[in-house]
Amino acid sequence: LLGPNRFEVFTRLLVLCLFAIFTSHFYHTDNKRRLADKALLESEAKYRSIVENLEEGYFEIDLAGNMTFLNDPLCKILGYARNELTGKNINTFTTAAMIRKMDEIYGHVKKTGGSMRVTDYDALGKDGQHIALELTASLLRDTNSTPIGFRGFIRDVSERKEEEAEKKRLEIQVQQAQKMESIGTLAGGIAHDFNNILMGIQGNASL
């Protein structure tokens, strides 16, 4: 390192300093990246854990509608195993009429960046039975805020819909019974009036 040429000595010292600075910066940057990756993995694991413990069905799809993530409640609602839905298109459990409606909804969500609630999502279970669902859909973005797909929360409202339909049926029956009762009352009044008229005619005839 120490030689007769001072310029050479200075050059070597400068190179060593620059090397030390570069090495320190590299390790510092690498350590920051490792910490960021670790924090991201921990955050993602926590997020996935929360999603898995929801009572509602949850899914994530890419812009083409292919499943990239889903939770067990969704599988339970639709009657599929997780591996039967992973990677499949969301249209797998969507009726033809609903597909057209959802295409418009996803297009609107992508355009506005907001979310939309669908109260009449008509789905098909694995057994082919129709399932009444409520769906809330929102846009999914990457770290650069570029749209990469959609996320959705699904709730099975089949039982509630059946109860509402039964309530409506009973209301109609009550209304029909009330109409029949009104008609019966009206008919009884008419018969009474008609009987009075006949009695009057008969009385006049006897005179």
Side-chain angles (χ1 to χ4, degrees):
L1 180 64
L2 297 177
N5 191 328
R6 292 183 178 180
F7 179 75
E8 184 179 352
V9 171
F10 176 76
T11 302
R12 290 182 179 181
L13 286 172
L14 180 61
V15 170
L16 287 174
C17 289
L18 290 174
F19 179 76
I21 293 172
F22 173 77
T23 302
S24 175
H25 177 72
F26 172 79
Y27 281 112
H28 177 70
T29 302
D30 185 63
N31 188 50
K32 284 181 65 178
R33 181 183 61 79
R34 289 175 182 273
L35 289 174
D37 289 345
K38 182 181 178 181
L40 180 62
L41 289 174
E42 290 177 351
S43 177
E44 184 176 352
K46 183 178 181 180
Y47 166 74
R48 299 299 185 189
S49 176
I50 292 173
V51 167
E52 286 295 347
N53 286 285
L54 291 173
E55 292 184 3
E56 297 177 318
Y58 176 84
F59 67 86
E60 294 177 4
I61 57 175
D62 59 24
L63 294 175
N66 299 313
M67 292 274 194
T68 57
F69 178 78
L70 60 148
N71 66 356
D72 287 338
L74 177 68
C75 299
K76 183 179 180 180
I77 290 172
L78 299 173
Y80 286 91
R82 184 186 285 259
N83 64 340
E84 291 177 312
L85 286 178
T86 302
K88 295 293 180 65
N89 196 279
I90 195 170
N91 293 342
T92 300
F93 58 84
T94 308
T95 62
M98 202 69 215
I99 289 173
R100 292 190 293 272
K101 181 176 180 178
M102 290 308 301
D103 284 343
E104 295 177 1
I105 289 173
Y106 286 129
H108 180 77
V109 169
K110 183 181 178 183
K111 182 179 180 180
T112 62
S115 62
M116 287 194 71
R117 185 165 176 255
V118 183
T119 58
D120 58 348
Y121 192 109
D122 186 19
L124 288 173
K126 184 178 179 180
D127 58 3
Q129 296 295 316
H130 287 256
I131 307 172
L133 303 175
E134 283 186 352
L135 165 68
T136 301
S138 59
L139 192 62
L140 194 61
R141 301 177 184 270
D142 62 13
T143 53
N144 297 317
S145 295
T146 302
I148 58 173
F150 306 93
R151 63 164 55 95
F153 291 90
I154 279 180
R155 180 185 295 109
D156 186 353
V157 293
S158 299
E159 185 175 341
R160 192 186 76 194
K161 292 287 186 180
E162 291 174 0
E163 290 175 353
E164 290 175 352
E166 178 65 16
K167 181 180 178 182
K168 186 67 176 178
R169 186 181 66 81
L170 291 174
E171 288 176 350
I172 292 174
Q173 287 182 344
V174 170
Q175 290 172 359
Q176 289 176 339
Q178 289 174 342
K179 287 180 181 179
M180 294 301 294
E181 183 180 358
S182 298
I183 292 172
T185 302
L186 179 61
I190 293 174
H192 178 73
D193 292 341
F194 186 69
N195 186 57
N196 288 338
I197 293 172
L198 287 178
M199 290 294 291
I201 293 173
Q202 290 177 350
N204 290 331
S206 62
L207 294 174

